[in-house]
Amino acid sequence: MGKKIFSGVQPTGNLHLGNYLGAIKNFVDLNNEDENDCIFCVVDLHAITVNQDPKELSNNIRGTVATFLASGIDPKKSIIFNQSKVSAHSEAAWILSCVARMGWLNRMTQFKEKAGKDKEKASVGLYSYPVLMAADILLYDATHVPVGEDQKQHLELCRDIAQKFNNDFKTNDFFKIPEPLIQKEFSRIMSLKDGLKKMSKSEISDLSRINLTDTKDEIINKIKKAKTDPLPMPSTIDDLNKRPEAKNLIGIYSSLADLKLEETINKFSGKNFSEFKENLTQVLIDKIIPISVEIKKLLDDKNYLDEILLDGSKKAGDIASKKIKKIHEILGF
Ligand code: AQP
């Protein structure tokens, strides 16, 4: 039987290699399996949990759609829409926030990381972000959610919320309990400047990430400047595990070249980083440049991107409003 897929990406800036290898590559494979029903959402309501410039947000929403298409998602096969256009998401988030427990949310590590030291100044939305994410998924009866490793905890919370709702209202399996789909290897791509920090859109230094809109020269420059260590290339997995920057770059190469980590280690064992970096640059150029060129082309046709979002939001709205109607009946509204 086919899977019901739901996943979202925040329109918070240029999408990067981490988003691609951790999530979007998987979206494309799932989209290509005929038996699956896929919904890919531009989660603009999630984006405003931190400050956004309205004009930039509009551009980033279209940029995210362009990236989905340029990476290979087919809008005829998958529903693509932005979250704010289907009001059921906000409504379900409120209802589910009355099911979720404070203690559960207090354990979420992403809030702690994103709020930083000054928790008091973080938005309430940033705190309840995972409840909105649960609403996104549960409205569509998604069976599988492809995400990067950083979202695993939020998905576990989504499962807890679904189970509690089903138990509290004795509705058996009204909310389906979704499974995470996380790449086994290379599910967490790290910053090019710090092998212990996640590659992220909102990191200030652009040198920390490969954007999917980067040019050939930008890729060459970023890999040249990517942090390594003074030792030659590692020759065993144990050696690799002690060297975060080397591990990240070797992981990126392996993922793009479709090799196992061991195979890449054997290929470059004992060599200089400079030789490895030339090879890494080449696989990045081969993979990213066609996507980058296509994104820029698509962004020239804003009407086309808006039509895709409009069509997607109608289809998603139909599904979500039926689920909300049933939720109202269950709650006694
Ligand atoms: N570094 C990463 N490695 C692997 N997967 C990643 N993802 C994000 N960063 C990495 C996955 O990409 C999908 C979309 O992420 P998102 O935009 O919804 O939010 P995020 O995880 O908060 O990503 P960013 O880039 O770090 O954005 P900002 O800086 O705005 O917070 C998710 O499936 C995520 O797991």
Side-chain angles (χ1 to χ4, degrees), residues 152-170:
K152 194 171 164 208
Q153 195 186 33
H154 288 168
L155 210 66
E156 279 158 11
L157 183 92
C158 169
R159 291 164 60 92
D160 289 343
I161 293 175
Q163 246 143 10
K164 181 161 165 52
F165 185 98
N166 289 346
N167 289 341
D168 287 356
F169 297 99
K170 304 194 175 35

Side-chain angles (χ1 to χ4, degrees), residues 7-10 12 16 18-19 22-23 43 110 114 129 146-151 187-190 198-203:
S7 196
V9 174
Q10 294 189 80
T12 38
H16 53 73
N19 298 130
V43 289
Q110 180 172 294
K114 289 202 171 176
Y129 178 115
V147 281
E149 213 256 337
D150 58 315
Q151 293 295 333
S187 58
R188 199 174 174 88
I189 304 297
M190 310 311 272
K198 189 179 89 138
M199 186 178 283
S200 167
K201 298 184 212 96
S202 46
E203 164 64 47

Side-chain angles (χ1 to χ4, degrees), residues 117-268:
K117 286 193 199 85
D118 210 351
K119 276 213 307 277
E120 299 291 314
K121 288 205 174 133
S123 71
V124 176
L126 189 67
Y127 179 73
S128 58
Y129 178 115
V131 180
L132 176 60
M133 179 166 158
D136 301 339
I137 297 165
L138 299 177
L139 275 174
Y140 299 95
D141 294 332
T143 57
H144 294 82
V145 183
V147 281
E149 213 256 337
D150 58 315
Q151 293 295 333
K152 194 171 164 208
Q153 195 186 33
H154 288 168
L155 210 66
E156 279 158 11
L157 183 92
C158 169
R159 291 164 60 92
D160 289 343
I161 293 175
Q163 246 143 10
K164 181 161 165 52
F165 185 98
N166 289 346
N167 289 341
D168 287 356
F169 297 99
K170 304 194 175 35
T171 57
N172 288 326
D173 61 348
F174 174 71
F175 281 135
K176 303 286 167 287
I177 311 298
E179 296 289 335
L181 284 178
I182 298 173
Q183 315 267 52
K184 283 194 186 63
E185 287 187 295
F186 329 120
S187 58
R188 199 174 174 88
I189 304 297
M190 310 311 272
S191 157
L192 298 179
K193 293 269 132 207
D194 179 350
L196 298 174
K197 235 169 122 185
K198 189 179 89 138
M199 186 178 283
S200 167
K201 298 184 212 96
S202 46
E203 164 64 47
I204 295 162
S205 168
D206 196 53
L207 289 174
S208 69
R209 64 184 159 258
I210 300 287
N211 300 308
L212 297 179
T213 46
D214 278 348
T215 60
K216 192 172 163 188
D217 287 346
E218 282 168 328
I219 294 175
I220 293 170
N221 184 39
K222 285 178 182 180
I223 295 304
K224 202 180 275 169
K225 295 204 169 127
K227 189 174 169 197
T228 51
D229 55 44
L231 303 171
M233 294 289 289
S235 44
T236 63
I237 291 271
D238 279 350
D239 184 10
L240 188 71
N241 284 337
K242 290 179 215 131
R243 298 167 61 186
E245 282 80 21
K247 186 174 180 184
N248 187 39
L249 295 181
I250 289 180
I252 293 172
Y253 180 88
S254 307
S255 184
L256 291 168
D258 264 327
L259 292 175
K260 294 206 172 311
L261 269 183
E262 289 85 348
E263 291 174 307
T264 306
I265 291 173
N266 291 341
K267 191 168 169 181
F268 294 102

Side-chain angles (χ1 to χ4, degrees), residues 1-7 30 33 35-40 137-146 176-179 181 319 323:
M1 213 178 71
K3 302 181 182 82
K4 281 194 176 180
I5 305 293
F6 183 97
S7 196
L30 293 160
E33 289 169 15
E35 64 278 18
N36 296 336
D37 290 328
C38 300
I39 304 181
F40 299 114
I137 297 165
L138 299 177
L139 275 174
Y140 299 95
D141 294 332
T143 57
H144 294 82
V145 183
K176 303 286 167 287
I177 311 298
E179 296 289 335
L181 284 178
I319 304 171
K323 194 77 180 173

